[in-house]
Amino acid sequence: MQHDYPVIIVGGGPVGMVAAAELGLRNIPCLLLEQGDGTNNHPRANVVSPRSMEHFRRWGIDEQVIAAGLPVDYPTDIVFTTRMTGKEILRFAFPSIARARNADADLLAQYPEIAHSPYFKTAVGQNHIEPVLRRFLQSLPSVQMRFGARVEAVAQQADGATLTLADGSQLRTRYVLACDGAKSTLRHLLDIPMDGKSSLGQNVGVYIRAPDLLKRSGKGGCILYWTLAPDCTGVFIAIDGREHYTMQRHILGEEELEKFDARAAVRRAIGDDVDFEIITIQPWVPRQLVAQRYRDGNVFLLGDAAHLLSPTGGFGMNTGIGDAVDIGWKLAGVLQGWADAAILDSYEIERRPIAWRNAVEATDNRSSLHASAELPAEIEDDTPRGEALRAELAEKLKLQRKHFAAVGIHLGYRYEDSPICIPDGTPAPPDDPQKYLPVARPGSRAPHCWLGQGQTRDKSILDLFGHGFTLLRLGDASPDVAGFQRAAEQRGMPLAVQHVTYAEAARLYGAALVLVRPDGHVAWRGDAMPADPLGIIDRARGAGAQPISRVA
C-alpha cells in the first residue's frame, strides 16, 4: 500500500498537537487533520501539570506556555467564599511561579512538592495554550496541518488505513492517531466501547470579561474562587489574572440547562453590581469513562477519545498529553526501524491504567467536594449563627486540599508491568495522589534534581534527556558503558551517554547506571554493566525475549 503519510493525526486540540510535535521533533512526516478552523474561544482546560511542563521544557517552549497564562507573580491561591464579593470561608495559599522558582528553605519546608520539578503550578487557559503549540508545529518541517477536514470513514488494511473525508477525498496512512475528543468519530466508527460512569451531572461554563472584578472582590489574586452561597454554587477560574474568568456551575439536568440564564447566574455568583460581558457559554458533562481498548489495528486512541475525566483536579488534558508523548516516541522508533513493531502494544498496557487511576481520583475529588458543601441559607448572614456555619464549613473544606495539591498524580505515575521496562526487584512505593516519592525504579518518571554547585536552578538533570534514549553514568566511579553503546549502535537505537558526578543525583537515582527512555521514564538501572547489554536494549525497544501481550 502506498501511503500519503506515515502518520495521520485526527484532531487538532492540545493532545493532537503534542502527538504531532513528538513525531515532528523526530523528523517523522505527519498530517494533522482538524475539522474546525483552528480557533478556540473558550478556555476549557486551564491547568498544565508539572509533568506536561517538563515535556514542553524538552521542546524549548516552556517559557512561551508560561507567558500565555497567569502572570508569574500572580498568587496561585484557592479561596472558598459565599460569593465573589461576599464573605471568605477558607483559603489554601500557594506561591506564585516567581516565588516558587526562587524558593528558600522555609518555602520548601511548607511546600515540599516544589523540589520535585522545575515547575509547580502553571495555569493557562486551553485557548491560550493552543496558539503556542500551533506556532511550534509550524516550525517543524515534517508536520503539516489541515483545517476544515472532517473524517467520516476509516477502512483498515494489513499495513495501514484509509481515511475518507467529508469532501469525498481519501488519505492513506500507515498509522492513525485518534485525538478527536469526547465524541470521537473514530472511536465510534471502530465500535470501541467505554467503561465507567457516563454522566456525573450537567454543568455549564460561562466565559466572561470583568475588568473590575479582581478589585471589587476584595479576595486578591487566586486561581480558583469557589462560590458557596446556596443559589450560586460554582467556581470562577482566573484565566489571565486581570479580567477574564470562566464561571463553572453545576445544574440539575437538561431541563434546567434549557432555562439557564447565564447573565443572572453570573450576577448572583458575583453578588454585587460589577460590569461584565459574556464571551462564550459551553455546556459540558463530567464523566468517568475509559475506552475498553486503546488500539484497533493501525488506529490508536488518545486523550478524550480514550478517556473522559471530571475536571476536578485538572487531570484530563494532562493525561492526554502523557498519551501523546508515550505513543509518539514508539511510533517514531518503529517508522525509523530501530524499534520492533511489538512495542506499539505497550502503549495501552502503560497508559490505560493511568487513565483509570486519574479518572477515579478526579471523581473522588468531585464527590467529596459536593458532600462537604451542604449549604444552609444562613451561611451568608452577618450574625453569630452565620459565622459559626462558615467556620463549620471551613473545617469540612480543609479536606479538599488534596484536590489542589495532587503532586502524586502528576509526577508519581509509573508503568507497572510494562513489557519494555526491566524490573530491578525493588518494591513499588505507595501510589498516593497527594505525595510523591522521587525514585528511579524502572517504569517511574526519572526524578528531577538541580545540577551544579549549590543546586543552582538553571539546569535540571531532566535537561540531559533528549529525543532518544539516555544512559546516565552516575558518580565518579561509574562503570564503562561501551558495551551498551555497541549494543545500541548494532540495533540503530539512538542512545546518548551522560556522565553526572553530582552526588545528590547518584543518591536520588539509587544506581550507578540508569537507562532513561525518550519519554523520561526509566527503562533499566543497575550498579554494574549487565552480562547481556544487547538483551536490555532489545527489551527496551520492544524486541526482547519476554513477549508483549497483544491487544485484543
Side-chain angles (χ1 to χ4, degrees), residues 229-246:
D231 64 340
C232 67
T233 54
V235 59
F236 282 80
I237 303 171
I239 301 301
D240 60 3
R242 296 181 297 276
E243 59 183 18
H244 287 92
Y245 306 82
T246 58

Side-chain angles (χ1 to χ4, degrees), residues 305-385:
H307 43 74
L308 295 169
L309 284 62
S310 173
T312 36
F315 309 146
M317 179 183 69
N318 296 293
T319 305
I321 288 172
D323 297 340
V325 171
D326 188 283
I327 192 63
W329 73 268
K330 294 171 183 176
L331 273 179
V334 171
L335 291 167
Q336 290 169 341
W338 57 262
D340 191 277
I343 199 173
L344 300 179
D345 290 339
S346 71
Y347 166 64
E348 176 178 321
I349 294 169
E350 292 185 345
R351 293 304 302 171
R352 191 167 180 269
I354 305 305
W356 269 120
R357 163 189 185 262
N358 295 358
V360 168
E361 179 65 13
T363 300
D364 183 71
N365 283 341
R366 179 181 178 82
S367 300
S368 61
L369 180 63
H370 282 246
S372 65
E374 297 175 1
L375 307 169
E378 304 97 323
I379 194 80
E380 296 185 88
D381 290 356
D382 195 10
T383 63
R385 166 70 173 160

Side-chain angles (χ1 to χ4, degrees), residues 162-277:
T162 301
L163 299 176
T164 301
L165 306 188
D167 62 6
S169 63
Q170 292 187 325
L171 293 167
R172 294 160 298 179
T173 182
R174 181 67 185 89
Y175 297 106
V176 178
L177 300 184
C179 307
D180 50 344
K183 298 180 180 178
S184 174
T185 296
L186 285 169
R187 188 183 67 233
H188 287 292
L189 288 171
L190 296 170
D191 195 25
I192 299 177
M194 301 190 86
D195 294 330
K197 300 174 182 178
S198 60
S199 176
L200 299 172
Q202 176 67 59
N203 288 61
V204 63
V206 184
Y207 184 31
I208 67 169
R209 176 178 176 269
D212 296 328
L213 184 55
L214 182 62
K215 179 175 66 176
R216 295 280 295 277
S217 75
K219 306 295 185 300
C222 298
I223 290 181
L224 303 177
Y225 304 80
W226 292 85
T227 58
L228 297 178
D231 64 340
C232 67
T233 54
V235 59
F236 282 80
I237 303 171
I239 301 301
D240 60 3
R242 296 181 297 276
E243 59 183 18
H244 287 92
Y245 306 82
T246 58
M247 184 198 78
Q248 306 291 341
R249 179 170 169 79
H250 174 72
I251 56 182
L252 297 178
E254 291 294 331
E255 183 176 344
E256 187 180 352
L257 179 60
E258 292 178 4
K259 301 176 182 178
F260 180 70
D261 185 336
R263 179 161 292 278
V266 172
R267 177 72 63 207
R268 286 195 303 272
I270 290 176
D272 201 355
D273 187 20
V274 177
D275 287 338
F276 65 91
E277 64 173 301

